[in-house]
Amino acid sequence: MTMSASLPLAAADTALPAAKPDLAPLLLVPALMLAVLPLAGSFSTWVTLSVAGLAMGMMYFIMASGLTLVFGLMSVLNFGHGAFVSVGAFTATLVLLPMRGWLEMDSLLINLGVLGLAVLLAMIVTGLLGWFFERVIIMPVYGQHLKQILITMGGMIVAEQLIHVIWGAETIALPLPAALRGAILMGDAAIEKYRLVAVVVGIVVFVAMFLVLNRTKIGLLIRAGVENGEMVEALGYRIRRLFVAVFAAGSALAGLGGVMWGLYKETLSAAMGGEIMVMIFIVIIIGGLGSVGGCFIGALLMALVANYAGFLAPKLALVSNIILMIAILLWRPAGLYSTTRG
Amino acid sequence: MLHQLLSGDKPRSRILSAVLLLILFGLAFAPFLTSGARPLNTAATICVYIVLVASYDLLLGYTGIVSFAHTMFYGIGAYGIGLGLARVDEPTWSAALAGLGLALLLALALALVVGLFALRVRAIFYAMITLAVASSFAVLASQLSDFTGGEDGITFSVPELLSPGYQLLENEVLGRSIDGKLITYYIVFFGCLLLFLFLLRLVNSPFGRVLQAVRENEFRAEALGYRTMVYRIWANCFAALVAALAGALMALWLRYVGPKTSLGFEVMTDILLIVVIGGMGTMYGAVVGAALFIIAQNYLKELMAAGSSALEGVPLLANALHPDRWMLWLGVLFVLSIYFFPIGIVGKLRLRAYFARR
């Protein structure tokens, strides 16, 4: 018999009691979808509506996830996040417009290749921009919420105007690649191809994020930082460095979201970032500031509600976001999954 | 007398006093000093913006609340007058007052709801929620086109006394005919002056002192026995009502309301820029900031146009100096002033005067 075995509390292999999983928010999305099924009229309409909603939700999620992580990690709320969305979309035009011929070719592979190049460029540019933004705009105002809000607003104004300076004041048309236009029929339900792409990209981003956050050491540190940044710092990790990386990654994701959003709307304007900003905020409020899972559910909920409301009660659709937000906050005042700082 | 009018909050800087007197004098006699519609329009806009910005400063500078819903209240006031006068065949004072009354009630109710709902949370949360609420409200106003005129807005006629064709006196006074436009201007001017003095009274009252205490250290203010929530909600309501009144005056002046001029996010960014550049937490900051901003907005663009055409050949620089890009430079100025100049023009002037006296 060894020494340690005789000590009742030292059994290293006894797992800590697992925290009770909080499942209720997870059920919201399927519950909502099921609840609308009888109202939608026909099954195929319901499928079309749901897929469209999910696709939009995925795009919201991609744009919002970086912001919520940054907030959780350093308690910085970047009101200029929307600018990254616009910059991403406009950067993509640098590839997509000169290579328009390639996009017109009826080959999925070439189309996706060009698209991938555009996305890559957009993500690199927005990632670098995020890094710069953090260094220049945000670093001097840590811990001062009022100044953070004001200064990131200022950054947003400047970025929006710079887009005008570089790309001109007119809106830019951004047609979808040939292979992604149109819809495919599944039974009676018509599903736009691009929405399927958006769903796939969204799921890939979510899974990748989930894996990084839950299966890697960096993810462990990020999650720990979101829960209690000071403690992580006290353990000897440079949370600042981690934060810059997360900020740049979040900006790059916003850039990716911007490209997808731009292709979805098929026109780009410098104000698009400011407009989408409101959506992003509602998503992260619903999800609980700092929570990626909550952000995912919040994004899907919001897009689905907006989509269903647009079909069932068009007048109501205008304020459906606000109604959803109020309903969620009445249920859980700090959002679906509140983190310690939320 | 002056002490009481200013509620004991004197400019406390000789330069600031001079600037304020200059602005007051300029606005009071604008119709007689200038001719043409544009300068008078600028003066009226300055008057309204002073009140609008000062009421926002009650929230941002004095209480430390960041709200993005201020234009919502401004818009409610404007639409109140607009809809009140556009609904009736004969524009009467009672129709205008009824519209204004309803608008004030709606503004108060919304301010209470938003306040109760969201003021319990921290600054950042509140900022986001108000942004969401305000943008939905703007969407609603532009989509319900049967009621609000949609994107186009509504033009309406004003009571006869205020209409441009009306002549109060046969003769001209100081080379200017006393017409409805002039009367409207003075209603706007004195309305704004009263509202501004009211705000000055408010922030220098015991109530205003508590607001400042809430801004500095909410926890301690609460520990002293003040119910900080109640104070914050009151501040929210006062700011909303004054903003609505400012909106009403603006609508009366323009004889038009539309989502762009009263509810747009651009108006909100203008307010933010003016508050910060003028000086947060000083009512006089609103005066100096608004005057500077509106004059720059109206006249700087021409300067930029000249610069832009001079740099025709240079690709990006000519774009950057395009008159529509003046917000770019203002944004840069804004960011820089938050870093190096956080107390704004008025704060700086007062600080200089304070050190000069010692």
Side-chain angles (χ1 to χ4, degrees):
Chain A
M1 195 188 261
T2 58
M3 277 295 283
S4 63
S6 66
L7 295 170
L9 288 176
D13 53 351
T14 313
L16 288 167
K20 216 172 171 188
D22 185 6
L23 289 177
L26 285 178
L27 299 174
L28 277 179
V29 175
L32 174 71
M33 289 169 70
L34 280 180
V36 174
L37 182 53
L39 300 173
S42 71
F43 184 71
S44 57
T45 321
W46 178 77
V47 171
T48 310
L49 279 177
S50 300
V51 172
L54 288 176
M56 210 142 106
M58 294 292 180
M59 286 189 266
Y60 287 158
F61 167 71
I62 294 171
M63 288 183 270
S65 54
L67 188 64
T68 199
L69 261 186
V70 163
F71 180 84
L73 201 56
M74 293 305 261
S75 179
V76 166
L77 191 70
N78 179 10
F79 270 71
H81 195 75
F84 299 134
V85 173
S86 316
V87 170
F90 274 85
T91 309
T93 61
L94 293 179
V95 172
L96 293 178
L97 293 184
M99 299 180 87
R100 192 177 282 158
W102 296 61
L103 288 176
E104 293 301 324
M105 281 182 205
D106 202 15
S107 152
L108 185 64
L109 217 59
I110 293 178
N111 282 181
L112 285 184
V114 174
L115 211 56
L117 195 65
V119 165
L120 192 68
L121 181 72
M123 288 181 78
I124 290 173
V125 168
T126 46
L128 286 176
L129 186 70
W131 180 79
F132 174 81
F133 208 77
E134 198 280 335
R135 284 280 136 142
V136 176
I137 305 263
I138 295 179
M139 194 145 81
V141 289
Y142 271 130
Q144 310 168 47
H145 277 160
L146 180 70
K147 278 193 175 180
Q148 272 173 17
I149 295 173
L150 294 177
I151 215 154
T152 50
M153 274 294 303
M156 167 112 168
I157 294 171
V158 173
E160 204 171 275
Q161 296 293 322
L162 278 177
I163 289 177
H164 281 311
V165 169
I166 298 172
W167 279 278
E170 284 85 37
T171 54
I172 296 179
L174 194 64
L176 275 173
L180 298 180
R181 278 175 218 153
I184 48 175
L185 280 177
M186 279 186 180
D188 286 338
I191 296 173
E192 283 176 51
K193 288 180 194 166
Y194 185 66
R195 310 231 182 200
L196 285 179
V197 175
V199 170
V200 171
V201 175
I203 289 175
V204 167
V205 168
F206 180 66
V207 169
M209 224 164 154
F210 183 82
L211 288 179
V212 169
L213 282 176
N214 289 294
R215 295 280 185 275
T216 65
K217 182 160 180 196
I218 291 178
L220 181 73
L221 288 176
I222 293 174
R223 278 185 300 136
V226 169
E227 291 296 327
N228 190 340
E230 279 174 20
M231 185 66 85
V232 177
E233 207 152 38
L235 290 173
Y237 294 100
R238 295 190 193 181
I239 202 161
R240 274 270 329 143
R241 212 176 264 183
L242 194 66
F243 170 70
V244 179
V246 170
F247 197 95
S251 313
L253 279 177
L256 168 65
V259 182
M260 298 183 60
W261 188 250
L263 281 170
Y264 169 72
K265 305 253 285 186
E266 302 200 47
T267 49
L268 303 184
S269 68
M272 65 188 277
E275 286 156 17
I276 199 75
M277 202 61 215
V278 176
M279 299 292 169
I280 295 177
F281 279 159
I282 299 179
V283 163
I284 69 175
I285 291 172
I286 290 176
L289 293 164
S291 154
V292 176
C295 175
F296 187 66
I297 297 173
L300 293 185
L301 272 181
M302 217 176 76
L304 281 173
V305 166
N307 227 0
Y308 289 145
F311 178 74
L312 297 172
K315 283 282 177 210
L316 204 65
L318 296 173
V319 283
S320 66
N321 298 329
I322 294 292
I323 293 174
L324 177 71
M325 181 175 85
I326 291 172
I328 297 274
L329 289 185
L330 286 177
W331 179 42
R332 295 198 166 179
L336 292 175
Y337 288 111
S338 70
T339 57
T340 44
R341 288 158 192 240
Chain B
M1 174 69 182
L2 187 68
H3 185 80
Q4 266 169 0
L5 264 182
L6 298 183
S7 314
D9 190 0
K10 294 200 181 121
R12 296 206 300 275
S13 153
R14 221 168 272 160
I15 305 173
L16 181 59
S17 309
V19 171
L20 288 174
L21 275 177
L22 187 73
I23 293 173
L24 180 70
F25 183 80
L27 291 178
F29 297 103
F32 301 100
L33 293 172
T34 60
S35 57
R38 194 168 159 211
L40 200 60
N41 203 20
T42 309
T45 313
I46 292 176
C47 289
V48 171
Y49 263 60
I50 287 174
V51 172
L52 181 62
V53 171
S55 63
Y56 188 68
D57 197 28
L58 181 66
L59 287 179
L60 182 70
Y62 282 88
T63 325
I65 299 171
V66 188
S67 162
F68 283 99
H70 211 58
T71 44
M72 180 169 85
F73 300 117
Y74 178 65
I76 288 174
Y79 271 101
I81 286 278
L83 291 173
L85 286 175
R87 293 278 129 170
V88 288
D89 305 324
E90 184 79 11
T92 55
W93 289 104
S94 54
L97 284 180
L100 182 62
L102 283 177
L104 288 179
L105 276 180
L106 178 64
L108 187 64
L110 268 176
L112 267 176
V113 169
V114 173
L116 275 176
F117 195 68
L119 277 175
R120 298 167 174 279
V121 296
R122 295 167 324 144
I124 274 186
F125 220 68
Y126 186 68
M128 290 197 292
I129 290 178
T130 49
L131 183 63
V133 171
S135 70
S136 314
F137 193 84
V139 169
L140 212 60
S142 65
Q143 294 293 319
L144 297 177
S145 43
D146 307 339
F147 184 58
T148 60
E151 283 294 332
D152 299 333
I154 26 178
T155 40
F156 52 88
S157 40
V158 286
E160 207 214 333
L161 178 66
L162 305 181
S163 62
Y166 178 81
Q167 293 284 341
L168 187 68
L169 298 175
E170 291 284 316
N171 307 339
E172 294 191 340
V173 177
L174 296 172
R176 174 132 201 149
S177 57
I178 308 298
D179 57 4
K181 200 72 185 163
L182 192 90
I183 298 171
T184 318
Y185 178 78
Y186 278 108
I187 287 180
V188 170
F189 174 75
F190 282 110
C192 289
L193 192 65
L194 273 179
L195 285 172
F196 181 77
L197 290 177
F198 166 71
L199 284 173
L200 207 56
R201 177 69 261 174
L202 196 66
V203 295
N204 289 297
S205 66
F207 173 77
R209 292 283 178 264
V210 179
L211 293 187
Q212 277 161 295
V214 171
R215 174 192 70 192
E216 291 302 325
N217 192 332
E218 188 178 354
F219 185 70
R220 203 175 281 178
E222 194 140 32
L224 285 173
Y226 295 108
R227 297 176 63 188
T228 52
M229 256 293 283
V230 175
Y231 277 89
R232 276 159 33 125
I233 289 175
W234 271 112
N236 212 30
C237 292
F238 274 123
L241 289 178
V242 175
L245 285 170
L249 288 174
M250 195 70 204
L252 212 54
W253 172 253
L254 291 176
R255 283 175 280 137
Y256 162 81
V257 280
K260 199 102 188 140
T261 52
S262 56
L263 288 167
F265 195 64
E266 288 80 12
V267 183
M268 195 65 235
T269 47
D270 288 355
I271 297 175
L272 265 175
L273 295 173
I274 298 174
V275 168
V276 170
I277 292 172
M280 281 186 277
T282 58
M283 280 293 151
Y284 298 118
V287 181
V288 178
L292 260 181
F293 185 90
I294 303 293
I295 291 174
Q297 191 176 35
N298 277 286
Y299 297 99
L300 195 70
K301 285 181 178 176
E302 282 161 31
L303 210 68
M304 287 179 66
S308 178
S309 52
L311 290 169
E312 196 73 70
V314 194
L316 283 185
L317 213 55
N319 266 349
L321 283 178
H322 190 275
D324 287 348
R325 294 287 81 74
W326 82 293
M327 273 304 262
L328 171 67
W329 303 104
L330 211 72
V332 173
L333 184 70
F334 177 73
V335 171
L336 290 179
S337 68
I338 293 172
Y339 285 142
F340 303 114
F341 205 47
I343 50 178
I345 296 172
V346 169
K348 199 83 182 171
L349 285 175
R350 280 184 163 178
L351 202 66
R352 250 183 55 178
Y354 176 75
F355 281 121
R357 265 201 298 277
R358 300 223 314 169

